[in-house]
Amino acid sequence: MKNQLRRLLVTIGLSAVLGSSLLNAQTSGKIGVAGVPFSFRIADRVLPAGNYTVSARSSGLMELWNKDTQQGMMFVAGSHQSGKSDPKLVFNRYGDRYFLAQVWFGDEDSGRILSRGHLEKEIAGVEGTPHGSLAAIRIK
């Protein structure tokens, strides 16, 4: 009888822990759509041009979904940048290569900054600073 009670309590405890972690991965209510007219990178992964849905999840976790190819990825957007801004995706440009650098939803006092991947760090080291940050992709 004691073993059955112990198993039941362990099962309830594990269910509570796993259930709470699944709840944390749910959308935090910030969703936007952006048409990106060029291919770009997040870290070292290349994403094609297209119509994207961007969703903010809890603790800096974000999801980018290409509505044209029906493919997506999740990534961690690190630090906050203070200030108000219109909703937008900000890219660092090096020649004809674009890297997603910031995500702004426009409904809070800060944007999310993405860490640079190995390739972007290497290119930035060779070419210096980005050839201008491109902030022309508005989130609707």
Side-chain angles (χ1 to χ4, degrees):
M1 188 71 173
K2 286 184 182 182
N3 283 339
Q4 288 178 337
L5 182 59
R6 190 174 304 151
R7 285 183 188 159
L8 179 63
L9 291 174
V10 168
T11 302
I12 291 171
L14 286 174
S15 297
V17 169
L18 292 174
S20 66
S21 61
L22 288 174
L23 286 174
N24 279 338
Q26 291 183 353
T27 308
S28 66
K30 297 177 196 124
I31 299 174
V33 177
V36 182
F38 46 79
S39 64
F40 62 97
R41 294 176 183 264
I42 295 178
D44 296 319
R45 182 170 172 196
V46 178
L47 300 166
N51 293 307
Y52 285 89
T53 299
V54 59
S55 307
R57 308 268 179 183
S58 61
S59 303
L61 186 64
M62 304 194 93
E63 180 181 21
L64 200 61
W65 182 260
N66 187 318
K67 294 164 70 174
D68 303 326
T69 65
Q70 297 296 307
Q71 294 180 341
M73 70 176 289
M74 295 189 91
F75 59 95
V76 176
S79 62
H80 284 91
Q81 180 171 333
S82 297
K84 290 212 177 228
S85 178
D86 291 331
K88 63 187 171 187
L89 301 177
V90 179
F91 297 86
N92 287 332
R93 180 175 60 92
Y94 305 90
D96 61 349
R97 295 183 187 172
Y98 295 87
F99 295 83
L100 184 60
Q102 300 174 19
V103 178
W104 294 80
F105 282 101
D107 63 343
E108 53 187 54
D109 293 332
S110 63
R112 286 291 195 161
I113 311 285
L114 281 73
S115 298
R116 290 180 174 185
H118 296 296
L119 180 61
E120 185 176 5
K121 287 179 186 176
E122 184 179 312
I123 292 171
V126 171
E127 296 187 21
T129 59
H131 299 303
S133 289
L134 177 66
I137 310 303
R138 294 182 55 88
I139 295 177
K140 299 175 186 167

